[in-house]
Short mmCIF file of all heavy atoms in Angstrom, two decimals:
data_model
loop_
_atom_site.label_atom_id
_atom_site.label_comp_id
_atom_site.label_asym_id
_atom_site.label_seq_id
_atom_site.Cartn_x
_atom_site.Cartn_y
_atom_site.Cartn_z
N THR M 285 -26.94 27.60 15.92
CA THR M 285 -28.25 28.11 15.53
C THR M 285 -28.20 29.15 14.42
O THR M 285 -29.13 29.27 13.65
CB THR M 285 -28.99 28.71 16.74
OG1 THR M 285 -28.09 29.61 17.40
CG2 THR M 285 -29.42 27.62 17.70
N ASP M 286 -27.11 29.92 14.36
CA ASP M 286 -27.12 31.00 13.37
C ASP M 286 -26.13 30.78 12.23
O ASP M 286 -25.72 31.72 11.58
CB ASP M 286 -26.88 32.35 14.05
CG ASP M 286 -25.53 32.41 14.73
OD1 ASP M 286 -24.87 31.35 14.80
OD2 ASP M 286 -25.13 33.50 15.17
N GLU M 287 -25.72 29.54 12.04
CA GLU M 287 -24.82 29.27 10.91
C GLU M 287 -25.40 28.14 10.06
O GLU M 287 -25.91 27.15 10.57
CB GLU M 287 -23.43 28.86 11.42
CG GLU M 287 -22.69 29.98 12.12
CD GLU M 287 -21.28 29.58 12.54
OE1 GLU M 287 -20.57 28.96 11.72
OE2 GLU M 287 -20.91 29.87 13.69
N THR M 288 -25.28 28.29 8.74
CA THR M 288 -25.64 27.20 7.85
C THR M 288 -24.52 26.16 7.87
O THR M 288 -23.44 26.42 8.42
CB THR M 288 -25.81 27.70 6.41
OG1 THR M 288 -24.55 28.22 5.97
CG2 THR M 288 -26.86 28.77 6.30
N VAL M 290 -22.66 25.34 5.47
CA VAL M 290 -21.50 25.93 4.80
C VAL M 290 -20.73 26.83 5.76
O VAL M 290 -19.50 26.81 5.82
CB VAL M 290 -21.95 26.75 3.57
CG1 VAL M 290 -20.77 27.49 2.96
CG2 VAL M 290 -22.58 25.85 2.53
N GLN M 291 -21.48 27.62 6.52
CA GLN M 291 -20.82 28.56 7.43
C GLN M 291 -20.12 27.84 8.58
O GLN M 291 -19.13 28.33 9.11
CB GLN M 291 -21.85 29.58 7.95
CG GLN M 291 -22.25 30.57 6.85
CD GLN M 291 -23.46 31.40 7.21
OE1 GLN M 291 -24.38 30.93 7.88
NE2 GLN M 291 -23.48 32.64 6.74
N LEU M 294 -16.73 26.71 6.76
CA LEU M 294 -15.76 27.67 6.20
C LEU M 294 -14.52 27.89 7.07
O LEU M 294 -13.39 27.80 6.56
CB LEU M 294 -16.45 29.01 5.91
CG LEU M 294 -17.29 29.08 4.62
CD1 LEU M 294 -17.98 30.43 4.51
CD2 LEU M 294 -16.41 28.84 3.39
N ARG M 301 -6.22 24.65 5.54
CA ARG M 301 -5.41 25.22 4.45
C ARG M 301 -4.24 26.00 5.03
O ARG M 301 -3.12 25.92 4.52
CB ARG M 301 -6.29 26.10 3.56
CG ARG M 301 -7.15 25.25 2.64
CD ARG M 301 -8.19 26.04 1.89
NE ARG M 301 -9.07 25.09 1.21
CZ ARG M 301 -10.27 25.38 0.77
NH1 ARG M 301 -10.77 26.59 0.92
NH2 ARG M 301 -11.00 24.46 0.17
N PHE M 321 -31.61 13.31 4.94
CA PHE M 321 -32.65 13.18 5.96
C PHE M 321 -32.33 14.04 7.18
O PHE M 321 -33.22 14.55 7.84
CB PHE M 321 -32.82 11.71 6.40
CG PHE M 321 -33.96 11.02 5.71
CD1 PHE M 321 -33.84 10.63 4.40
CD2 PHE M 321 -35.16 10.79 6.37
CE1 PHE M 321 -34.89 10.00 3.74
CE2 PHE M 321 -36.22 10.16 5.73
CZ PHE M 321 -36.08 9.77 4.41
N LEU M 322 -31.04 14.18 7.45
CA LEU M 322 -30.64 15.01 8.58
C LEU M 322 -30.95 16.48 8.27
O LEU M 322 -31.45 17.22 9.11
CB LEU M 322 -29.14 14.82 8.83
CG LEU M 322 -28.63 15.24 10.19
CD1 LEU M 322 -29.27 14.40 11.27
CD2 LEU M 322 -27.12 15.11 10.23
N ALA M 323 -30.63 16.88 7.05
CA ALA M 323 -30.82 18.28 6.66
C ALA M 323 -32.28 18.60 6.39
O ALA M 323 -32.69 19.76 6.47
CB ALA M 323 -29.98 18.59 5.42
N GLY M 324 -33.06 17.57 6.06
CA GLY M 324 -34.47 17.81 5.74
C GLY M 324 -34.68 18.33 4.33
O GLY M 324 -35.70 18.92 4.03
N SER M 325 -33.69 18.13 3.46
CA SER M 325 -33.89 18.53 2.07
C SER M 325 -33.10 17.61 1.14
O SER M 325 -32.05 17.10 1.51
CB SER M 325 -33.45 19.98 1.85
OG SER M 325 -32.06 20.09 1.85
N GLU M 334 -20.48 24.74 -2.10
CA GLU M 334 -20.09 26.14 -2.23
C GLU M 334 -18.99 26.53 -1.26
O GLU M 334 -18.21 27.43 -1.52
CB GLU M 334 -21.31 27.05 -2.02
CG GLU M 334 -22.42 26.79 -3.01
CD GLU M 334 -23.42 27.92 -3.10
OE1 GLU M 334 -23.53 28.67 -2.11
OE2 GLU M 334 -24.06 28.06 -4.15
N GLY M 335 -18.92 25.83 -0.13
CA GLY M 335 -17.93 26.17 0.87
C GLY M 335 -16.51 25.76 0.49
O GLY M 335 -15.53 26.28 1.01
N VAL M 336 -16.43 24.81 -0.43
CA VAL M 336 -15.12 24.28 -0.82
C VAL M 336 -14.39 25.26 -1.72
O VAL M 336 -13.16 25.37 -1.70
CB VAL M 336 -15.28 22.94 -1.56
CG1 VAL M 336 -13.94 22.38 -1.99
CG2 VAL M 336 -16.00 21.93 -0.69
N GLY M 337 -15.16 25.98 -2.53
CA GLY M 337 -14.55 26.79 -3.57
C GLY M 337 -14.39 25.92 -4.81
O GLY M 337 -13.28 25.68 -5.28
N ALA M 338 -15.53 25.45 -5.33
CA ALA M 338 -15.49 24.48 -6.42
C ALA M 338 -15.50 25.17 -7.77
O ALA M 338 -16.33 24.88 -8.63
CB ALA M 338 -16.66 23.50 -6.28
N TYR M 339 -14.62 26.10 -7.95
CA TYR M 339 -14.41 26.67 -9.28
C TYR M 339 -13.04 27.31 -9.33
O TYR M 339 -12.72 28.12 -8.47
CB TYR M 339 -15.48 27.72 -9.64
CG TYR M 339 -15.47 27.99 -11.12
CD1 TYR M 339 -16.09 27.12 -12.01
CD2 TYR M 339 -14.77 29.07 -11.64
CE1 TYR M 339 -16.03 27.34 -13.37
CE2 TYR M 339 -14.71 29.29 -13.00
CZ TYR M 339 -15.34 28.42 -13.87
OH TYR M 339 -15.28 28.62 -15.21
N LYS M 377 -26.12 18.74 10.98
CA LYS M 377 -26.82 19.71 11.79
C LYS M 377 -28.15 19.06 12.16
O LYS M 377 -29.12 19.13 11.39
CB LYS M 377 -27.01 21.00 10.97
CG LYS M 377 -27.15 22.23 11.83
CD LYS M 377 -27.22 23.48 11.00
CE LYS M 377 -27.97 24.55 11.78
NZ LYS M 377 -28.11 25.79 11.08
N PRO M 380 -32.16 21.13 14.04
CA PRO M 380 -33.51 21.52 13.60
C PRO M 380 -34.54 20.39 13.72
O PRO M 380 -35.73 20.66 13.78
CB PRO M 380 -33.32 21.91 12.13
CG PRO M 380 -31.85 22.18 11.98
CD PRO M 380 -31.18 21.24 12.95
N GLY M 381 -34.12 19.14 13.73
CA GLY M 381 -35.06 18.02 13.77
C GLY M 381 -34.90 17.20 15.04
O GLY M 381 -34.25 17.62 15.99
N SER M 382 -35.51 16.04 15.03
CA SER M 382 -35.38 15.13 16.17
C SER M 382 -34.61 13.92 15.70
O SER M 382 -35.15 13.01 15.07
CB SER M 382 -36.77 14.71 16.68
OG SER M 382 -36.63 13.62 17.57
N ASP M 385 -35.77 10.33 16.16
CA ASP M 385 -36.85 9.90 15.28
C ASP M 385 -36.39 9.79 13.83
O ASP M 385 -36.77 8.86 13.12
CB ASP M 385 -38.02 10.89 15.38
CG ASP M 385 -38.65 10.85 16.77
OD1 ASP M 385 -38.79 9.74 17.31
OD2 ASP M 385 -38.98 11.92 17.30
N VAL M 386 -35.57 10.74 13.42
CA VAL M 386 -35.06 10.70 12.04
C VAL M 386 -34.38 9.35 11.79
O VAL M 386 -34.55 8.73 10.74
CB VAL M 386 -34.09 11.87 11.78
CG1 VAL M 386 -33.33 11.66 10.48
CG2 VAL M 386 -34.84 13.19 11.72
N THR M 389 -36.08 6.20 10.36
CA THR M 389 -36.33 6.00 8.94
C THR M 389 -35.20 5.23 8.27
O THR M 389 -35.24 4.96 7.08
CB THR M 389 -36.51 7.35 8.21
OG1 THR M 389 -35.29 8.09 8.29
CG2 THR M 389 -37.63 8.16 8.83
N PRO M 393 -37.89 -0.71 5.95
CA PRO M 393 -39.10 0.09 5.78
C PRO M 393 -40.39 -0.72 5.82
O PRO M 393 -41.47 -0.14 5.96
CB PRO M 393 -38.91 0.70 4.38
CG PRO M 393 -38.00 -0.24 3.67
CD PRO M 393 -37.08 -0.81 4.72
N TYR M 394 -40.29 -2.03 5.69
CA TYR M 394 -41.51 -2.84 5.65
C TYR M 394 -41.86 -3.43 7.02
O TYR M 394 -43.02 -3.53 7.39
CB TYR M 394 -41.36 -3.97 4.63
CG TYR M 394 -40.95 -3.48 3.27
CD1 TYR M 394 -39.66 -3.68 2.79
CD2 TYR M 394 -41.85 -2.77 2.47
CE1 TYR M 394 -39.28 -3.21 1.53
CE2 TYR M 394 -41.48 -2.29 1.21
CZ TYR M 394 -40.19 -2.52 0.75
OH TYR M 394 -39.82 -2.05 -0.47
N ALA M 397 -39.44 -0.01 10.45
CA ALA M 397 -39.72 1.43 10.49
C ALA M 397 -41.18 1.76 10.84
O ALA M 397 -41.43 2.70 11.58
CB ALA M 397 -39.30 2.10 9.18
N PRO M 398 -42.16 0.96 10.31
CA PRO M 398 -43.55 1.29 10.65
C PRO M 398 -43.84 1.26 12.15
O PRO M 398 -44.83 1.82 12.61
CB PRO M 398 -44.35 0.22 9.90
CG PRO M 398 -43.47 -0.20 8.78
CD PRO M 398 -42.07 -0.14 9.33
N TRP M 400 -41.84 2.57 14.33
CA TRP M 400 -41.22 3.78 14.83
C TRP M 400 -40.43 3.59 16.13
O TRP M 400 -40.59 4.37 17.07
CB TRP M 400 -42.26 4.90 15.04
CG TRP M 400 -42.59 5.58 13.78
CD1 TRP M 400 -43.68 5.37 13.02
CD2 TRP M 400 -41.81 6.59 13.09
NE1 TRP M 400 -43.64 6.17 11.89
CE2 TRP M 400 -42.51 6.93 11.92
CE3 TRP M 400 -40.59 7.23 13.37
CZ2 TRP M 400 -42.04 7.86 11.01
CZ3 TRP M 400 -40.12 8.17 12.45
CH2 TRP M 400 -40.85 8.47 11.29
N ILE X 28 -48.07 -1.77 1.66
CA ILE X 28 -48.42 -1.19 2.94
C ILE X 28 -48.15 0.31 2.87
O ILE X 28 -47.29 0.74 2.11
CB ILE X 28 -47.61 -1.79 4.12
CG1 ILE X 28 -46.10 -1.67 3.85
CG2 ILE X 28 -48.00 -3.22 4.38
CD1 ILE X 28 -45.26 -1.94 5.07
N THR X 30 -46.95 3.54 5.03
CA THR X 30 -46.30 3.95 6.27
C THR X 30 -46.09 5.46 6.23
O THR X 30 -45.09 5.92 5.71
CB THR X 30 -44.93 3.26 6.43
OG1 THR X 30 -45.11 1.86 6.27
CG2 THR X 30 -44.34 3.54 7.79
N PRO X 31 -47.05 6.21 6.75
CA PRO X 31 -46.87 7.68 6.70
C PRO X 31 -45.67 8.10 7.56
O PRO X 31 -45.48 7.56 8.66
CB PRO X 31 -48.18 8.23 7.29
CG PRO X 31 -49.11 7.06 7.32
CD PRO X 31 -48.28 5.84 7.41
N ILE X 32 -44.88 8.98 7.04
CA ILE X 32 -43.74 9.51 7.78
C ILE X 32 -43.96 11.00 7.95
O ILE X 32 -44.27 11.70 6.98
CB ILE X 32 -42.42 9.26 7.02
CG1 ILE X 32 -42.12 7.77 6.96
CG2 ILE X 32 -41.27 10.01 7.69
CD1 ILE X 32 -40.89 7.44 6.14
N ARG X 33 -43.84 11.47 9.17
CA ARG X 33 -43.95 12.91 9.38
C ARG X 33 -42.77 13.33 10.25
O ARG X 33 -42.55 12.80 11.32
CB ARG X 33 -45.26 13.24 10.08
CG ARG X 33 -45.45 14.73 10.28
CD ARG X 33 -46.69 15.03 11.12
NE ARG X 33 -46.76 16.47 11.34
CZ ARG X 33 -47.33 17.31 10.50
NH1 ARG X 33 -47.86 16.87 9.40
NH2 ARG X 33 -47.34 18.61 10.77
N MET X 34 -42.01 14.27 9.75
CA MET X 34 -40.89 14.77 10.54
C MET X 34 -40.94 16.29 10.55
O MET X 34 -41.25 16.90 9.53
CB MET X 34 -39.57 14.28 9.96
CG MET X 34 -39.42 12.77 10.14
SD MET X 34 -37.82 12.17 9.64
CE MET X 34 -37.85 12.49 7.91
N THR X 35 -40.64 16.85 11.68
CA THR X 35 -40.70 18.31 11.82
C THR X 35 -39.29 18.86 12.01
O THR X 35 -38.52 18.33 12.81
CB THR X 35 -41.56 18.69 13.04
OG1 THR X 35 -42.83 18.06 12.91
CG2 THR X 35 -41.75 20.19 13.12
N TYR X 36 -38.96 19.85 11.22
CA TYR X 36 -37.67 20.52 11.35
C TYR X 36 -37.93 21.98 11.68
O TYR X 36 -38.73 22.63 11.00
CB TYR X 36 -36.86 20.43 10.06
CG TYR X 36 -36.49 19.02 9.62
CD1 TYR X 36 -37.40 18.20 8.95
CD2 TYR X 36 -35.21 18.51 9.85
CE1 TYR X 36 -37.06 16.92 8.54
CE2 TYR X 36 -34.85 17.23 9.43
CZ TYR X 36 -35.78 16.44 8.78
OH TYR X 36 -35.44 15.18 8.37
N ASP X 37 -37.31 22.48 12.71
CA ASP X 37 -37.44 23.90 13.06
C ASP X 37 -36.15 24.62 12.70
O ASP X 37 -35.14 24.48 13.38
CB ASP X 37 -37.71 24.06 14.56
CG ASP X 37 -39.06 23.49 14.94
OD1 ASP X 37 -40.04 23.81 14.25
OD2 ASP X 37 -39.13 22.71 15.91
N TYR X 38 -36.19 25.36 11.60
CA TYR X 38 -34.97 26.03 11.13
C TYR X 38 -34.87 27.43 11.73
O TYR X 38 -35.86 28.13 11.87
CB TYR X 38 -34.97 26.14 9.61
CG TYR X 38 -34.90 24.81 8.91
CD1 TYR X 38 -36.03 24.26 8.32
CD2 TYR X 38 -33.70 24.10 8.83
CE1 TYR X 38 -35.99 23.04 7.67
CE2 TYR X 38 -33.64 22.88 8.17
CZ TYR X 38 -34.78 22.36 7.60
OH TYR X 38 -34.72 21.15 6.95
N ILE X 39 -33.65 27.80 12.05
CA ILE X 39 -33.37 29.16 12.52
C ILE X 39 -32.51 29.81 11.43
O ILE X 39 -31.54 29.21 10.98
CB ILE X 39 -32.61 29.13 13.86
CG1 ILE X 39 -33.49 28.46 14.93
CG2 ILE X 39 -32.19 30.54 14.28
CD1 ILE X 39 -32.76 28.16 16.22
N PRO X 40 -32.89 30.99 10.97
CA PRO X 40 -32.11 31.59 9.88
C PRO X 40 -30.69 31.93 10.32
O PRO X 40 -30.44 32.28 11.48
CB PRO X 40 -32.90 32.86 9.53
CG PRO X 40 -33.78 33.12 10.70
CD PRO X 40 -34.03 31.82 11.38
N SER X 41 -29.76 31.78 9.40
CA SER X 41 -28.37 32.13 9.68
C SER X 41 -28.25 33.65 9.74
O SER X 41 -29.17 34.38 9.36
CB SER X 41 -27.47 31.60 8.57
OG SER X 41 -27.76 32.28 7.37
N SER X 42 -27.11 34.12 10.20
CA SER X 42 -26.92 35.57 10.32
C SER X 42 -27.10 36.28 8.98
O SER X 42 -27.71 37.34 8.90
CB SER X 42 -25.54 35.86 10.91
OG SER X 42 -24.56 35.06 10.28
N SER X 43 -26.58 35.67 7.91
CA SER X 43 -26.71 36.32 6.60
C SER X 43 -28.16 36.31 6.14
O SER X 43 -28.64 37.27 5.53
CB SER X 43 -25.81 35.64 5.57
OG SER X 43 -26.07 34.25 5.52
N ALA X 44 -28.88 35.22 6.46
CA ALA X 44 -30.30 35.16 6.08
C ALA X 44 -31.11 36.17 6.87
O ALA X 44 -32.02 36.81 6.33
CB ALA X 44 -30.85 33.76 6.28
N ILE X 45 -30.79 36.35 8.14
CA ILE X 45 -31.54 37.30 8.98
C ILE X 45 -31.42 38.72 8.40
O ILE X 45 -32.42 39.43 8.25
CB ILE X 45 -31.00 37.28 10.44
CG1 ILE X 45 -31.45 35.99 11.13
CG2 ILE X 45 -31.51 38.50 11.22
CD1 ILE X 45 -30.85 35.79 12.50
N ARG X 72 -25.82 34.28 0.52
CA ARG X 72 -25.81 33.03 1.27
C ARG X 72 -24.59 32.95 2.17
O ARG X 72 -24.30 31.91 2.75
CB ARG X 72 -25.87 31.83 0.32
CG ARG X 72 -27.28 31.58 -0.21
CD ARG X 72 -27.42 30.17 -0.74
NE ARG X 72 -26.58 29.96 -1.91
CZ ARG X 72 -27.03 29.97 -3.15
NH1 ARG X 72 -28.30 30.17 -3.38
NH2 ARG X 72 -26.22 29.76 -4.17
N GLY X 73 -23.84 34.04 2.22
CA GLY X 73 -22.72 34.08 3.16
C GLY X 73 -21.45 33.48 2.62
O GLY X 73 -20.48 33.32 3.34
N VAL X 74 -21.43 33.13 1.32
CA VAL X 74 -20.22 32.49 0.78
C VAL X 74 -20.06 32.82 -0.70
O VAL X 74 -21.04 32.96 -1.42
CB VAL X 74 -20.28 30.96 1.01
CG1 VAL X 74 -21.44 30.34 0.26
CG2 VAL X 74 -18.98 30.28 0.60
N ASP X 75 -18.81 33.02 -1.12
CA ASP X 75 -18.49 33.11 -2.54
C ASP X 75 -18.09 31.70 -2.97
O ASP X 75 -17.03 31.21 -2.58
CB ASP X 75 -17.33 34.09 -2.76
CG ASP X 75 -16.88 34.14 -4.22
OD1 ASP X 75 -17.24 33.22 -4.99
OD2 ASP X 75 -16.17 35.08 -4.58
N PRO X 76 -18.95 31.03 -3.75
CA PRO X 76 -18.73 29.61 -4.02
C PRO X 76 -17.52 29.32 -4.91
O PRO X 76 -17.07 28.18 -4.99
CB PRO X 76 -20.03 29.16 -4.70
CG PRO X 76 -20.61 30.39 -5.28
CD PRO X 76 -20.18 31.52 -4.38
N ARG X 77 -17.00 30.35 -5.57
CA ARG X 77 -15.81 30.10 -6.40
C ARG X 77 -14.58 29.91 -5.54
O ARG X 77 -13.68 29.15 -5.87
CB ARG X 77 -15.56 31.29 -7.35
CG ARG X 77 -16.68 31.55 -8.33
CD ARG X 77 -16.52 32.93 -8.93
NE ARG X 77 -16.53 33.97 -7.91
CZ ARG X 77 -16.25 35.24 -8.12
NH1 ARG X 77 -15.91 35.64 -9.32
NH2 ARG X 77 -16.29 36.12 -7.13
N HIS X 78 -14.55 30.65 -4.44
CA HIS X 78 -13.33 30.65 -3.63
C HIS X 78 -13.53 30.00 -2.26
O HIS X 78 -12.55 29.81 -1.54
CB HIS X 78 -12.85 32.09 -3.44
CG HIS X 78 -12.66 32.83 -4.74
ND1 HIS X 78 -11.60 32.57 -5.58
CD2 HIS X 78 -13.42 33.76 -5.35
CE1 HIS X 78 -11.70 33.35 -6.65
NE2 HIS X 78 -12.79 34.07 -6.55
N GLY X 79 -14.78 29.67 -1.92
CA GLY X 79 -15.02 29.10 -0.61
C GLY X 79 -14.67 30.05 0.51
O GLY X 79 -14.10 29.64 1.52
N VAL X 80 -14.99 31.32 0.32
CA VAL X 80 -14.72 32.30 1.38
C VAL X 80 -16.03 32.98 1.79
O VAL X 80 -16.96 33.10 1.00
CB VAL X 80 -13.72 33.40 0.94
CG1 VAL X 80 -12.35 32.79 0.68
CG2 VAL X 80 -14.22 34.13 -0.30
N ALA X 81 -16.06 33.41 3.05
CA ALA X 81 -17.26 34.04 3.58
C ALA X 81 -17.44 35.42 2.95
O ALA X 81 -16.46 36.14 2.72
CB ALA X 81 -17.16 34.16 5.09
N THR X 82 -18.69 35.76 2.66
CA THR X 82 -19.00 37.12 2.23
C THR X 82 -19.68 37.80 3.42
O THR X 82 -20.80 37.48 3.76
CB THR X 82 -19.95 37.14 1.03
OG1 THR X 82 -21.15 36.47 1.39
CG2 THR X 82 -19.35 36.43 -0.17
N ASP X 194 -14.07 34.87 -16.16
CA ASP X 194 -13.24 33.71 -16.45
C ASP X 194 -13.34 33.40 -17.94
O ASP X 194 -14.40 33.01 -18.42
CB ASP X 194 -13.74 32.53 -15.62
CG ASP X 194 -13.05 31.24 -16.01
OD1 ASP X 194 -12.02 31.29 -16.71
OD2 ASP X 194 -13.56 30.17 -15.62
N LEU X 196 -12.47 31.00 -19.50
CA LEU X 196 -12.75 29.59 -19.75
C LEU X 196 -14.19 29.20 -19.44
O LEU X 196 -14.63 28.11 -19.74
CB LEU X 196 -11.80 28.71 -18.92
CG LEU X 196 -10.34 28.78 -19.33
CD1 LEU X 196 -9.48 28.03 -18.33
CD2 LEU X 196 -10.14 28.21 -20.73
N ALA X 197 -14.91 30.12 -18.78
CA ALA X 197 -16.28 29.75 -18.37
C ALA X 197 -17.19 29.60 -19.57
O ALA X 197 -16.89 30.10 -20.64
CB ALA X 197 -16.84 30.80 -17.42
#
Side-chain angles (χ1 to χ4, degrees):
Chain M
T285 49
D286 62 351
E287 293 184 45
T288 62
V290 174
Q291 288 168 325
L294 281 176
R301 284 171 188 160
F321 262 75
L322 199 63
S325 74
E334 301 198 335
V336 179
Y339 196 80
K377 205 175 154 181
S382 167
D385 294 320
V386 167
T389 64
Y394 307 107
W400 280 101
Chain X
I28 55 167
T30 308
I32 293 176
R33 182 186 177 86
M34 292 186 295
T35 306
Y36 298 80
D37 294 312
Y38 295 103
I39 298 170
S41 67
S42 45
S43 54
I45 287 173
R72 282 199 294 259
V74 63
D75 175 344
R77 299 164 301 171
H78 306 286
V80 294
T82 59
D194 172 15
L196 292 173

